[in-house]
Amino acid sequence: MDKLLSLRNVEVIRDGCAILQSDDLHIPLTGITALIGPNGAGKTTLLRLIHGLIEPSIGQCERPFAPNESALVFHYTPMLKATVREHLTLLRDTDRTIRDEAIDEALQSVGIAHLANNPAQRLSAGERQKLCFARARLQNPKLVLLDEPTANLDPNASDDVEQMIAQLAKDGKAVLFASHNMAQVKRLATHLIFMQDGKILEISSPGVFFKNPQTKEGSQFLAREFIAQ
């Protein structure tokens, strides 16, 4: 059975403005789900809400996963003055069961084991993202939330990240990722959520949405995106 996120007449209000609004909606969180929409659509706010970093100002958000069962990776994460390996050992502050072998396996799984003793602040953008994925894998979440995971990465690094996303799904994790790359969405996603102006307007499959969006806003968004590409 699908794990469902239930948004019951939710509003998230900041500085007197509603930046996220929903009617009574049920969003499946299984497989790989792409979250798309123009800048300012509310995608990052929705990811933060699902992860539990924020709560609704109005209404209820019923999450299918506990806070410790999800991991959130932003498109840019500042690095501490610590080695690559030390970034992962810090997880022991909340989970004392993490073993050295698990840390080694996490670094190996994303291809940066050879950088374990390097300063994390000197990593390239692609290597930083791999470290964030290693951290997420080490947390062993049921749900992984990714905010523009390939933004500002070169093609090779983007390919590596897409492979890691696919591997997470093969490992049985649910993945929800925000993206402006429609080709990437077509390659990876099994489900799709389209947002605009803080509202979820369509929940569909990529095949259905790209061929026949059900809203005027969806059609206009696709026309702009494909002209831009």
Side-chain angles (χ1 to χ4, degrees):
M1 182 179 296
D2 283 351
K3 293 285 188 179
L4 296 175
L5 171 75
S6 296
L7 301 178
R8 302 190 183 278
N9 300 309
V10 160
E11 287 191 25
V12 176
I13 299 172
R14 292 291 180 270
D15 299 323
C17 296
I19 59 174
L20 181 68
Q21 295 175 290
S22 81
D23 296 322
D24 195 4
L25 288 177
H26 303 284
I27 301 172
L29 294 178
T30 56
I32 301 178
T33 302
L35 181 58
I36 67 171
N39 289 331
K43 300 185 294 295
T44 299
T45 300
L46 180 60
L47 292 174
R48 289 174 176 269
L49 182 71
I50 295 171
H51 189 52
L53 285 181
I54 59 175
E55 293 294 334
S57 306
I58 299 171
Q60 292 183 327
C61 174
E62 298 174 4
R63 304 176 181 89
F65 301 104
N68 64 345
E69 293 179 331
S70 66
L72 174 58
V73 176
F74 293 104
H75 71 270
Y76 177 80
T77 302
M79 297 287 113
L80 303 174
K81 289 184 178 180
T83 67
V84 168
R85 184 182 179 82
E86 286 168 344
H87 270 73
L88 299 189
T89 60
L90 288 172
L91 286 174
R92 287 179 173 152
D93 291 344
T94 55
D95 186 353
R96 302 300 300 177
T97 66
I98 294 175
R99 303 179 54 151
D100 287 342
E101 294 82 1
I103 292 173
D104 293 336
E105 290 173 4
L107 292 173
Q108 187 69 42
S109 70
V110 298
I112 58 171
H114 62 292
L115 302 175
N117 296 317
N118 288 19
Q121 291 181 329
R122 296 184 183 177
L123 296 177
S124 68
E127 291 165 348
R128 286 179 180 227
Q129 199 68 323
K130 289 180 181 181
L131 177 55
C132 291
F133 269 79
R135 181 183 174 90
R137 290 182 67 89
L138 196 57
Q139 291 174 265
N140 195 28
K142 295 180 180 178
L143 170 66
V144 181
L145 305 164
L146 306 168
D147 191 10
E148 297 287 349
T150 59
N152 303 318
L153 299 185
D154 62 42
N156 288 335
S158 295
D159 288 344
D160 289 343
V161 169
E162 288 191 13
Q163 290 175 21
M164 288 187 286
I165 292 173
Q167 187 59 52
L168 287 170
K170 290 179 181 178
D171 292 342
K173 316 296 184 187
V175 180
L176 174 58
F177 74 102
S179 180
H180 283 287
N181 186 327
M182 296 302 103
Q184 180 180 79
V185 169
K186 288 182 176 181
R187 285 192 296 270
L188 292 174
T190 52
H191 309 292
L192 180 147
I193 299 169
F194 170 64
M195 296 184 68
Q196 185 166 302
D197 297 328
K199 298 179 179 179
I200 297 170
L201 299 183
E202 297 195 43
I203 301 174
S204 182
S205 69
V208 170
F209 180 79
F210 286 116
K211 288 181 180 178
N212 187 27
Q214 299 301 298
T215 61
K216 176 183 69 176
E217 294 87 350
S219 296
Q220 292 173 341
F221 171 76
L222 287 180
R224 290 193 300 269
E225 285 295 311
F226 287 117
I227 288 173
Q229 293 179 20

